[in-house]
Amino acid sequence: MSVLIFAELDEGKLKKSSQEAIFYGAKVADMLGTSATAIVAGAADDSELATAGRYGATKVLHASDSKLNEPNGMAYATVVAAAAQQEGSKVIVLAKSSLADAMTARLAGKLKAGLAANVIELPDLSNGFRVKSSIYTGKAFAYNDLKADVKIVAIRKNTVTPEETEATAPVEKFAPALNDGDFAISVKSTEKSSGDILLPEADLVVSAGRGLKGPENWGPVEDLAKALHAATACSKPVSDLDWRPHSEHVGQTGLKISPNLYIACGISGAIQHLAGVNSSKVIVVINKDPDAPFFKSADYGIVGDVFDVLPRLTKAVQAL
Amino acid sequence: MKILVCVTSVPDTTTKITFTDNNTKLNKAGVTFITGPYDDYALARAVELKEKTGASVTVLNVGEADAEPVIRKCLAIGADDAIRVNAEPTDAYFVAEQIAAIAKETTYDLILMGRESIDYNGGQVHGIVGEMLGIPSISPVMVLDLDGDTAQITREIEGGKEELAAKLPLVLGCQEPIAEWKIPNMRGIMTARTKPLNVVEPVGTDKLTTVASYELPAPRGAVKMIKAEEAETLIQLLHTEAKVI
Ligand SMILES: Cc1cc2nc3c(=O)[nH]c(=O)nc-3n(C[C@H](O)[C@H](O)[C@H](O)COP(=O)(O)OP(=O)(O)OC[C@H]3O[C@@H](n4cnc5c(N)ncnc54)[C@H](O)[C@@H]3O)c2cc1C
C-alpha cells in the first residue's frame, strides 16, 4: 500500500524537482501511516538511486531496460502503472516536468486515476483527499477533492523544501513487460542546450524582454545569470522574434515557473507575462519606465537602464 | 483524411479572476470567453492541412450552450462541422472520456488540441484520450508535417526540442509556432451560420476529481524601490533581507 513516487533522471542524476517529489511523497506516506517507494526508469548507478533515501524513500524500484534510456512518456507510464500494481499504491506523487506531464496523462488513463496538477501544498486528509493547486495560470487556487481509488498528485516546484537525512534506500531491479505500442513514437534527434541550468528546475531566474532591443544584447543578462548560477528566461515577443529559444518563454502561453528569485529586465509586466511568474517567491523588476506595470507586482524595483544596471549587479554578486 | 480539433472555452487572457457563491463558482460577470489560445493553434494547423490535403475538420467542444459562440468562431475560421457534448467540463478524465467516445464512433487520423487549457492548466486531456484509444499522444507540438501516413513532429522539451516521427492516428497537444493564428473573415462568419453543429449528450458520469472551493492569491507587499545609482544595494538586500541568494 506504499505511496509511489515517480522520480526522474537528468543525465543519470535524480532531478532536483524529483528530490522534492520524494520528500513530499514520504510526508504523505507518513500521514497515511505507510512507506514511500520511488520508481526510476533509465540508466543510473545504484549509489545515485540510493540517495532517494535521504529524502524519505524506503525503497527504490529501478527499471533499467536499455529501451528506457530515452525519456518516453508512454513507456514510462507502463512502468509506473506496473510498479503501482506491485506495490498496491493508491497514491502516486511526481514533480511536474515535460516528461512527467506526458507520462502522467497516460498513467491517469491506464489507472482511471483522479489527478491534480500544479499542486502547491501537502494534502488535507481530514475529510477525504483534498489538495490545493494553482489554476488560471497562477491567478487563483483550487481545493480539489480526489475521489477515485487511485490518486495522482503532480507537484509544482518549491512546494516543499526537502530536509535531508543520511539514510539510503535499498535499490531493487524492476522489469515490467513493455509493449511495442509504448515505442510507437521514434525520436530522430534531440537538441538541448547543454551545461545550462534547466529553467523549470531553477531556483534563480534572470529574465529579459523587448527592452533589450536585440539578441546581440543578451551578454549582460547571461553574465548576471552566470554569476548567480541562475537560468535565463524571456518574454513572449522575444521568443516570437527568435531572439531567444522558445523553451525560455515564460507566461500564460509559455512556461509557468515558481523560482525563489525572478529578476525581470526590460519587461513591461503584461498580465499574460505575470501569469507565468507571479508565484515566484521574490520578484525584482528593472525597467527604465517608472510607470511600467511590473513594479506593482514586484518586491524590489530599480528604475534604470538595464545596460547600466545589470553589469553593476553582476559585479556586486561576484563580490559577495 | 479526418481531423478532429478539440477546443475549450476559457476566460480571455486579460481577465481578472474572481469567484462568487462563497468561492465555489467563477464569477462570469463581465468576462469574455475565448477559444483556448493553444486550441487556436491546433485549429489553425488543421485548417492549413485541410487547404493542403483536402482533409475534413470537425471541431469538438465539451461544454454547455454558452460555449457556442466559441464553436461558431472555429467554424468561421474553417472547420467543416462541429460537435458539442452537452456537459460542464469539470474534470480532465471526464472530458477525455467524451472525446474518446466520439472518436470511437468515427475514426480520425489526427486528434488535435491545445497543449493545455488556460483555466485548469492540467495539460492532461490529450494523453488520457491517447491512452483510451490506444494510440500515441505527443505534446507540446511545435511543428507538424505529414508525409503519407507518417507525422513528422517537433516537440518542445526542457531546454530544447526533439524531432519525432510516428504513424497516424495520433493525438497531439499543440502550441506555437505550429501555425499562424487565424481570424475569421466576413465570408467565413456568414457560412459558419449554416454549418452543422450537433449537440450530443455525455457518456459516463464519473467525476474523479471535483473542486470544493477556490481562493485568490494574497496580494504582494509594497515594492521596495532602490535608486539606480545604488543598484549594488539590491544584491545586499537579496542576500541579507530576502535571503534568496
Ligand atoms: C493570448 C496572449 C498570450 C500571451 N502570452 C504571453 C506569455 O506567455 N508571455 C509573455 O511574456 N507575454 C505574453 N503575451 C504578450 C504580452 O501581452 C506582452 O505583449 C509581452 O509580455 C510584452 O513583452 P515585453 O515586456 O518584453 O515587451 P514590451 O511590452 O515592449 O516592454 C518592454 C519594456 O522594456 C522597457 N525598456 C526598454 N528599454 C529599456 C532599457 N534600456 N532598460 C530598462 N528597461 C527598458 C520598456 O520601458 C518596457 O516596459 C501574450 C499576449 C496574448 C494576447
Side-chain angles (χ1 to χ4, degrees):
Chain A
M1 218 320 267
S2 68
V3 169
L4 187 69
I5 301 121
F6 169 64
E8 212 178 301
L9 297 169
D10 183 34
E11 288 167 9
K13 299 255 176 282
L14 282 184
K15 274 177 117 178
K16 197 156 172 269
S17 54
S18 289
Q19 296 169 357
E20 292 176 14
I22 295 167
F23 186 73
Y24 181 102
K27 286 260 181 244
V28 178
D30 269 353
M31 294 163 82
L32 293 169
T34 179
S35 58
T37 302
I39 168 79
V40 182
D45 294 337
D46 279 4
S47 59
E48 170 65 22
L49 296 177
T51 64
R54 283 193 210 158
Y55 311 102
T58 47
K59 179 166 83 179
V60 179
L61 299 176
H62 184 205
S64 59
D65 190 321
S66 62
K67 281 198 282 196
L68 298 169
N69 288 351
E70 289 280 346
N72 171 338
M74 286 169 66
Y76 280 32
T78 299
V79 170
V80 177
Q85 196 181 16
Q86 176 182 303
E87 300 295 304
S89 303
K90 299 293 181 197
V91 177
I92 302 172
V93 172
L94 46 91
K96 249 189 94 65
S97 76
S98 149
L99 170 66
D101 287 352
M103 198 284 297
T104 314
R106 301 291 306 200
L107 186 66
K110 277 185 204 300
L111 303 178
K112 201 173 180 191
L115 159 70
N118 291 307
V119 169
I120 56 168
E121 276 178 9
L122 282 164
D124 171 2
L125 304 180
S126 58
N127 186 10
F129 195 103
R130 181 169 290 179
V131 279
K132 182 176 181 180
S133 69
S134 168
I135 56 167
Y136 290 105
T137 328
K139 290 194 264 188
F141 304 112
Y143 289 92
N144 311 276
D145 288 331
L146 303 192
K147 294 179 168 164
D149 184 35
V150 180
K151 299 158 179 67
I152 305 180
V153 178
I155 63 167
R156 201 178 65 183
K157 184 164 171 53
N158 277 334
T159 292
V160 285
T161 311
E163 297 147 25
E164 289 180 52
T165 65
E166 297 289 301
T168 57
V171 180
E172 284 176 18
K173 289 271 171 268
F174 184 64
L178 294 162
N179 316 314
D180 284 350
D182 293 335
F183 300 93
I185 301 168
S186 55
V187 179
K188 296 196 300 181
S189 67
T190 305
E191 198 183 296
K192 212 169 165 182
S193 43
S194 62
D196 292 346
I197 299 161
L198 286 177
L199 177 57
E201 296 272 299
D203 285 328
L204 311 175
V205 175
V206 182
S207 184
R210 199 146 54 180
L212 270 284
K213 309 274 189 312
E216 67 285 2
N217 295 331
W218 242 257
V221 178
E222 283 169 342
D223 290 345
L224 178 60
K226 203 162 164 209
L228 286 168
H229 302 289
T232 49
C234 68
S235 66
K236 176 170 157 66
V238 164
S239 77
D240 285 351
L241 290 162
D242 273 336
W243 293 358
R244 301 294 291 181
H246 192 274
S247 54
E248 286 196 1
H249 158 203
V250 293
Q252 177 114 47
T253 48
L255 271 178
K256 286 92 198 151
I257 55 171
S258 46
N260 285 328
L261 174 63
Y262 183 74
I263 305 183
C265 314
I267 300 178
S268 57
I271 190 165
Q272 296 97 344
H273 183 84
L274 271 176
V277 303
N278 57 4
S279 49
S280 309
K281 199 166 145 209
V282 173
I283 295 180
V284 172
V285 169
I286 304 161
N287 197 306
K288 68 178 181 189
D289 172 9
D291 296 323
F294 219 152
F295 285 119
K296 291 203 183 75
S297 315
D299 299 289
Y300 297 95
I302 298 180
V303 176
D305 190 318
V306 283
F307 298 108
D308 162 48
V309 172
L310 284 179
R312 294 177 46 200
L313 296 182
T314 304
K315 275 217 184 88
V317 171
Q318 285 158 346
L320 267 187
Chain B
M1 189 167 76
K2 283 184 183 299
I3 306 177
L4 183 69
V5 182
C6 309
V7 301
T8 53
S9 164
V10 289
D12 167 39
T13 59
T14 57
T15 306
K16 201 166 172 280
I17 300 293
T18 57
F19 300 102
T20 60
D21 293 19
N22 205 12
N23 280 332
T24 57
K25 280 203 175 70
L26 175 72
N27 181 5
K28 291 187 177 178
V31 174
T32 310
F33 282 80
I34 58 166
T35 320
Y38 295 113
D39 308 342
D40 268 326
Y41 284 108
L43 176 67
R45 188 62 188 135
V47 171
E48 286 174 3
L49 290 170
K50 170 183 162 172
E51 282 159 8
K52 237 166 86 181
T53 67
S56 71
V57 177
T58 299
V59 168
L60 169 61
N61 168 261
V62 180
E64 293 171 305
D66 59 2
E68 290 200 359
V70 158
I71 303 174
R72 286 279 172 214
K73 192 185 143 204
C74 297
L75 291 170
I77 285 173
D80 300 296
D81 57 359
I83 304 167
R84 178 170 70 80
V85 178
N86 188 27
E88 195 192 349
T90 45
D91 165 22
Y93 193 94
F94 174 77
V95 172
E97 232 175 355
Q98 308 313 316
I99 297 170
I102 304 277
K104 275 175 188 160
E105 266 172 37
T106 308
T107 310
Y108 294 93
D109 303 283
L110 276 172
I111 302 177
L112 305 182
M113 59 186 90
R115 82 159 202 226
E116 68 179 29
S117 68
I118 62 163
D119 48 9
Y120 287 94
N121 306 114
Q124 302 294 332
V125 173
H126 35 75
I128 303 177
V129 170
E131 187 64 37
M132 285 173 171
L133 297 175
I135 61 176
S137 53
I138 305 173
S139 179
V141 174
M142 303 168 79
V143 178
L144 162 65
D145 286 311
L146 294 179
D147 179 359
D149 66 347
T150 304
Q152 309 290 345
I153 283 165
T154 306
R155 173 180 105 90
E156 185 162 297
I157 54 170
E158 274 151 27
K161 49 194 181 183
E162 200 174 57
E163 287 192 17
L164 308 163
K167 286 228 182 310
L168 305 180
L170 293 171
V171 185
L172 307 179
C174 304
Q175 72 170 33
E176 65 194 0
I178 192 166
E180 285 284 332
W181 270 13
K182 292 186 173 30
I183 324 168
N185 56 28
M186 207 50 206
R187 210 183 138 243
I189 294 167
M190 298 306 288
T191 52
R193 289 191 195 150
T194 58
K195 288 180 179 173
L197 194 171
N198 302 310
V199 179
V200 300
E201 290 307 313
V203 297
T205 48
D206 290 325
K207 290 256 163 70
L208 303 183
T209 309
T210 56
V211 176
S213 64
Y214 299 96
E215 192 179 278
L216 292 173
R220 245 169 228 278
V223 56
K224 194 176 248 184
M225 296 304 290
I226 294 149
K227 290 203 183 79
E229 320 58 275
E230 294 161 13
E232 292 76 7
T233 325
L234 171 70
I235 300 301
Q236 288 307 324
L237 288 171
L238 292 176
H239 187 56
T240 55
E241 186 180 79
K243 296 191 168 54
V244 286
I245 61 173

